[in-house]
Amino acid sequence: MSVSTCVRHTDLSGMVALLEQQRTAKVDLVVPATTIHARGGSIELSGIAPVLDERGVTAVDGLYQPTGSADTQIASKLDIPGRYLTRLRADERLDLFDANVNGLLHGQPGIAEPDQRSFLLRLFTGEPGEQGILRAFLSDRYGIIDNLDVLVAVLDGIRQADTQAEVRECDLSETSMHCKVYAPKVTALAPNFLAGYRNPFANPDLEADRLAAVSQLERWRPIADREGQGYRPGAEPIVFAGFRFANSETGHHLLTLKPELVVQVCGNGLSLPLFARTRRHLGERLSDDPHRWSQDTYRKKLAVITAEARDTVTEWLSPAFLADRVAELEQQAATPIREPEKTLEVVGKQVGFTDAERAGILTHFIAAGQLSAAGIANAVTSYSQTVPDPARADTLDDLALRAMTLL
């Protein structure tokens, strides 16, 4: 399986290169249940005509190894308990995996009828002699919007907004793409939110593989000095305006755009889910031939994404929007935290942190030395940068503001 499916903390060029590599191996099929079989824990396709497209002729009959997320979708579509199917694979009871999937797809004479539905399978083809990858097992009403096309559409929206903005970081998993954008010249001082805050990644044990946000300091030093707040160069309490967007090609969440505040000193991103805009991946029933899908309809979908990105950039990367959000944060940021371990235990239960996440956030809280409500939020967003799963990291960033406001 030579196609890479995951990357964490890459830049824009790295993300584009990976998505281009994936595009060369992508095949999407709408197939009846009768053509799908489970064999040895893999999904075998048979009796399907080769795909003819701009790449030439691609044979698709053969074996495909499901990703973990595809296994979950197979369980959902066939009404098999997900934990049961996951346990069968983990325990290497692939005979039972096959029996459950095949029994529900193909029925049994005199007992159960075969499944009459068709499914959208999103595949990566393998090298000659290798299995491919089944990356999604979806309804034939799933409206495909591919990651690379979303990325290009959003970048076009940024260009149309005529705002100086940069993609600062990208992540890709089996289930989703996440990209973070910021405006290096749209900045504000947040002295309460960053009071006493130290970069936790200055501690070698917490150092993450990512780049610090580009600082734009000279503009703010005279202002800080006039207000009696002179800061050591590189430690000013500056936040940048930013936003992030996420897309799933495999049916795991909506296309989402939401604003964030980016902390200069360490690159933490505090997302603002209250302002998020989402778009469902749902369309008309797909044809048996995915290459008959309306390209005009697809182009219109991308044009809507571009327009939405243009509008959100214009709003969210403006000095006025940033100033309003910082003013809201500053009101709650200074609440003192005297018992951080106990506080995190209580807050963690309310927002759904796991025990491991709570312990990691506490470590970052102590390393940053900011004994306030803002310190909790900043600890969550710095800890999230060390989480391997970008989707969970994004969720943690969404929870950071809520964790702060609960104090």
Side-chain angles (χ1 to χ4, degrees), residues 67-84:
T67 63
S69 60
D71 270 350
T72 300
Q73 291 171 332
I74 291 170
S76 175
K77 290 292 180 289
L78 301 183
D79 203 20
I80 303 171
R83 293 178 65 182
Y84 169 67

Side-chain angles (χ1 to χ4, degrees), residues 187-193 237 239-240 261 272 320-333:
T187 58
L189 285 175
N192 291 335
F193 185 67
V239 293
F240 301 101
L261 308 182
L272 305 171
F321 184 86
L322 178 63
D324 288 345
R325 302 293 78 76
V326 169
E328 293 165 0
L329 287 177
E330 290 282 274
Q331 292 178 4
Q332 301 167 326

Side-chain angles (χ1 to χ4, degrees), residues 95-121:
D95 55 331
L96 291 178
F97 182 101
D98 295 350
N100 279 272
V101 173
N102 288 330
L104 289 166
L105 283 173
H106 304 292
Q108 188 171 346
I111 298 176
E113 293 295 319
D115 197 317
Q116 299 299 313
R117 294 173 294 174
S118 290
F119 299 97
L120 168 63
L121 307 186

